[in-house]
């Protein structure tokens, strides 16, 4: 080992003080590169591989013509798929009338209005129904109608008992049926 130490000291003497500082800076730079830059390079390589895999997945999905279930477009399609078509409104109304009949209520005369929400593109079928019956019957009718027609929203339900001795109450039910515009 004394020979290598001797060779090292002779080399340092030949380089002089500026050369010794240069060798020290070179050693410092190498250690800095190994401790800070090398891990960053590895992280960069990992991110590049991840991006390449994501691009490949995107190409495969585009080739199939479908979107992943978690994409915003797929979520929006699923949202609109929930609503029945406007042409299915009579079927939905018949289910609502069946729920009234099942609860021994008659829906005689109501107010019906059809409008379109410009923001969502949905058709709103608003109904105001005066009903007379027992409190429990009316509540069960509303629950059954909502269960039979998931796109039906209860906007208002108000009860009135004209005479305290009456077993029947008069109710005003405001419902909105949300429908997709049939294009």
């Amino acid at each position: 080992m004394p020979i290598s130490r001797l060779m090292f000291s002779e080399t340092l003497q030949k380089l002089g003080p500026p050369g010794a500082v240069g060798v020290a800076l070179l050693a410092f730079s190498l250690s800095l590169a190994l401790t800070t830059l090398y891990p960053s390079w590895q992280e960069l390589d990992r991110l590049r591989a991840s991006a390449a895999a994501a691009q490949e997945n995107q190409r495969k999905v585009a080739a199939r013509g479908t979107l992943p279930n978690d994409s915003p477009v797929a979520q929006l399609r699923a949202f609109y798929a929930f609503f029945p078509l406007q042409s299915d409104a009579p079927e939905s109304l018949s289910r609502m009338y069946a729920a009234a009949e099942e609860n021994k209520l008659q829906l005689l005369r109501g107010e019906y209005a059809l409008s379109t929400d410009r923001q969502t593109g949905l058709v709103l079928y608003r109904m105001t129904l005066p009903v007379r019956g027992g409190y429990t019957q009316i509540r069960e009718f509303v629950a059954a109608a909502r269960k039979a027609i998931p796109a039906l929203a209860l906007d208002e339900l108000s009860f009135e008992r004209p005479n305290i001795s009456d077993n029947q109450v008069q109710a005003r039910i405001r419902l909105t049926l949300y429908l997709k515009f049939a294009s």
Side-chain angles (χ1 to χ4, degrees), residues 82-114:
F82 170 77
F83 299 103
L85 291 172
Q86 183 179 1
S87 59
D88 295 336
E91 180 186 330
S92 297
L93 290 176
S94 67
R95 281 191 256 153
M96 184 179 72
Y97 284 108
E101 192 175 303
E102 181 181 302
N103 287 287
K104 297 175 179 63
L105 292 175
Q106 288 186 348
L107 304 178
L108 299 174
R109 182 184 296 180
E111 297 174 23
Y112 300 89
L114 193 64

Side-chain angles (χ1 to χ4, degrees), residues 67-147:
L67 295 169
N69 289 339
D70 59 346
S71 74
V73 173
Q75 290 176 357
L76 190 60
R77 283 184 191 154
F79 172 75
Y80 281 107
F82 170 77
F83 299 103
L85 291 172
Q86 183 179 1
S87 59
D88 295 336
E91 180 186 330
S92 297
L93 290 176
S94 67
R95 281 191 256 153
M96 184 179 72
Y97 284 108
E101 192 175 303
E102 181 181 302
N103 287 287
K104 297 175 179 63
L105 292 175
Q106 288 186 348
L107 304 178
L108 299 174
R109 182 184 296 180
E111 297 174 23
Y112 300 89
L114 193 64
S115 64
T116 303
D117 185 350
R118 294 184 192 276
Q119 278 187 317
T120 61
L122 292 174
V123 176
L124 284 66
Y125 195 56
R126 292 198 166 105
M127 300 165 270
T128 304
L129 306 169
V131 177
R132 184 167 173 81
Y135 174 79
T136 307
Q137 287 176 298
I138 295 170
R139 284 201 47 190
E140 287 175 355
F141 156 67
V142 171
R146 290 260 308 115
K147 186 176 181 182

Side-chain angles (χ1 to χ4, degrees), residues 50-62:
S50 176
Q55 286 176 343
E56 181 63 28
N57 187 28
Q58 186 178 12
R59 272 189 238 114
K60 287 179 183 176
V61 166

